[in-house]
Amino acid sequence: MARRAATTVIGEDFSFVSPVVKYLLFFFSMLFWGISMVMVGVGVYARLMKHAEAAMGCLAVDPALLLIAAGVLMFLITFCGCIGSLRENICLLQAFSICLTLVFLLQLSAGIVGFIFSDKARGKVSEVIDNAIVHYRDDLDLQNLIDFGQRQFNCCGGISYKDWSQNIYFNCSSENPSRERCSVPYSCCLYSEDEAVVNTMCGYDMQTLDYVEAGEFIHTNGCIDKLVNWLHSNLFLLGGVALGLAIPQVT
């Protein structure tokens, strides 16, 4: 009877975790844990290095805050996976699984909502881009991000290059004393492949020209349409990537 009872207890409590699965989960969790700490560190450093006035003026479009938020979220999730897999802690592994499931559901929900309410999503993107244009000179990180996006997508402004008049430095009103009045950032300009030195003044006075004339020197189409067209042309690729990320999260 004692042996039967012992067998029953052992059978109920015993669980086997494959060492391969255990250490693979630990390795990848540790890898992303390290990446998350680097993201948080870079975000905090970038945030602290900004002037107080500029930092408070564009909280909604601050890349440093986005980096910190993503890093903290990744840190908490990978902590559960790293420690839970190493110590075979069921509670931490369950928390890790729940977090990944929630992330997957948020990914899926964002895709569905963006597809169904495409007009509203487009309006929200326009609002964010307009806000970023207004604070272009207030935040160096934001400035570099906008310049990178405009060069990558060969675009300028939100809807058109005229949107840069929303910025106080590029505003085209006669009361604007700025030397950059009626200009656009240099990232809007057309470049030849053999051009070794970037002319940062190439966008001066471009807003005074019409679309045809300005099109000889800068990109006149806005970034919103370019971004939407890119998403449509890469829809299957993005779906494949999303599916690839979803499989390990669900399993």
Side-chain angles (χ1 to χ4, degrees), residues 57-58 60-61 126-136 142 166:
C58 51
V61 289
S126 300
E127 180 182 342
V128 172
I129 291 179
D130 289 341
N131 194 19
I133 289 175
V134 170
H135 296 287
Y136 175 77
L142 179 63
Q166 301 176 47

Side-chain angles (χ1 to χ4, degrees), residues 15 51-52 86 120 137 144 160 207 245:
S15 63
H51 296 291
L86 185 63
K120 292 185 179 179
R137 290 295 192 198
N144 292 331
S160 73
Q207 292 187 55
L245 293 174

Side-chain angles (χ1 to χ4, degrees), residues 11-39:
E12 291 176 353
D13 295 341
F14 178 76
S15 63
F16 174 75
V17 178
S18 172
V20 176
V21 175
K22 172 182 175 179
Y23 288 108
L24 275 177
L25 179 58
F26 171 76
F27 172 76
F28 285 108
S29 297
M30 193 68 182
L31 176 63
F32 286 101
W33 195 15
I35 294 174
S36 68
M37 288 190 288
V38 172
M39 291 172 61

Side-chain angles (χ1 to χ4, degrees), residues 9-166:
V9 172
I10 294 174
E12 291 176 353
D13 295 341
F14 178 76
S15 63
F16 174 75
V17 178
S18 172
V20 176
V21 175
K22 172 182 175 179
Y23 288 108
L24 275 177
L25 179 58
F26 171 76
F27 172 76
F28 285 108
S29 297
M30 193 68 182
L31 176 63
F32 286 101
W33 195 15
I35 294 174
S36 68
M37 288 190 288
V38 172
M39 291 172 61
V40 173
V42 172
V44 171
Y45 175 78
R47 186 68 187 168
L48 293 177
M49 291 301 292
K50 296 177 181 178
H51 296 291
E53 297 82 3
M56 295 302 296
C58 51
L59 290 175
V61 289
D62 191 349
L65 288 181
L66 180 62
L67 196 63
I68 293 173
V72 169
L73 179 61
M74 184 186 298
F75 178 86
L76 294 176
I77 294 176
T78 53
F79 173 82
C80 295
C82 183
I83 304 301
S85 61
L86 185 63
R87 302 299 299 270
E88 298 185 15
N89 188 301
I90 301 301
C91 293
L92 288 178
L93 289 176
Q94 287 178 343
F96 179 69
S97 177
I98 292 173
C99 288
L100 288 184
T101 302
L102 290 176
V103 171
F104 167 68
L105 292 177
L106 287 175
Q107 292 173 351
L108 185 62
S109 301
I112 294 175
V113 171
F115 178 78
I116 296 177
F117 302 101
S118 57
D119 292 337
K120 292 185 179 179
R122 181 188 178 90
K124 187 62 178 178
V125 172
S126 300
E127 180 182 342
V128 172
I129 291 179
D130 289 341
N131 194 19
I133 289 175
V134 170
H135 296 287
Y136 175 77
R137 290 295 192 198
D138 300 339
D139 189 339
L140 184 58
D141 294 331
L142 179 63
Q143 180 176 323
N144 292 331
L145 181 63
I146 293 175
D147 287 335
F148 174 78
Q150 291 191 147
R151 287 196 300 267
Q152 288 295 113
F153 288 101
N154 296 325
C155 59
C156 186
I159 299 176
S160 73
Y161 68 103
K162 297 282 188 179
D163 291 337
W164 279 104
S165 192
Q166 301 176 47

